[in-house]
Amino acid sequence: MQNFGMSMLWFWISYIIVTLIGVGHTIFNIVVLHMKSMKDGPGMGEGYEKTKPWHPLYNIIMFTLFGYLYMHGLETIAFSEALITGAIWAGICIVFDVFGWVIIKHPWSLSFKEFYVDYQPWITLIYLAIFFGPILGFLLC
């Protein structure tokens, strides 16, 4: 049976960790590897662009780990619970991302085109990874 509070706890911990890893990877590329930043080049800059293929990997690892922790903590687990959790997590992420990365302007915000067109196939793979995270977590239980 679903525990929405715990589900949200594990979701947000995973989301924050994945975001920090992505930002940290970009900063590492710029500071340590001396790649161009967004102020030095077009778009988000080379430092960010080189991290894109890694984004689905961060997500599948983290959301599977926290999907496992969530599923393992339930009194009874079922595949249907994993499907519902994956759908909820992906849905929340899709809605939150449009506000956090597109609508609310900040130094790293993107336009709709940059986020939903130029970020392909990575953004689609990320959302699939988030959806499958609880399912893979269930399979590991």
Side-chain angles (χ1 to χ4, degrees):
M1 185 167 139
Q2 176 140 32
N3 180 336
F4 189 73
M6 287 305 294
S7 173
M8 289 298 92
L9 175 68
W10 292 128
F11 168 80
W12 287 111
I13 289 171
S14 188
Y15 186 92
I16 290 165
I17 289 172
V18 165
T19 301
L20 292 174
I21 291 170
V23 169
H25 190 175
T26 300
I27 291 169
F28 175 84
N29 284 353
I30 294 166
V31 174
V32 176
L33 301 180
H34 306 290
M35 293 182 186
K36 294 181 180 179
S37 69
M38 57 193 290
K39 66 182 177 185
D40 299 325
M44 292 296 288
E46 179 189 22
Y48 170 74
E49 293 297 323
K50 295 289 186 180
T51 68
K52 283 182 177 181
W54 294 93
H55 296 180
L57 182 63
Y58 309 150
N59 281 273
I60 198 66
I61 291 170
M62 289 294 110
F63 280 95
T64 298
L65 171 64
F66 289 100
Y68 168 81
L69 292 172
Y70 170 65
M71 298 303 292
H72 188 70
L74 294 175
E75 194 169 304
T76 57
I77 60 171
F79 186 71
S80 60
E81 173 65 24
L83 285 172
I84 292 167
T85 301
I88 290 169
W89 286 12
I92 289 171
C93 193
I94 290 166
V95 171
F96 187 78
D97 281 353
V98 75
F99 286 96
W101 295 108
V102 178
I103 294 174
I104 298 171
K105 298 303 176 197
H106 52 83
W108 288 29
S109 64
L110 302 166
S111 69
F112 278 97
K113 181 184 179 295
E114 288 170 325
F115 198 72
Y116 296 104
V117 177
D118 298 343
Y119 195 20
Q120 292 296 338
W122 314 118
I123 192 63
T124 299
L125 292 173
I126 288 166
Y127 292 144
L128 286 171
I130 293 166
F131 172 74
F132 282 111
I135 296 165
L136 294 172
F138 166 81
L139 294 174
L140 292 172
C141 283

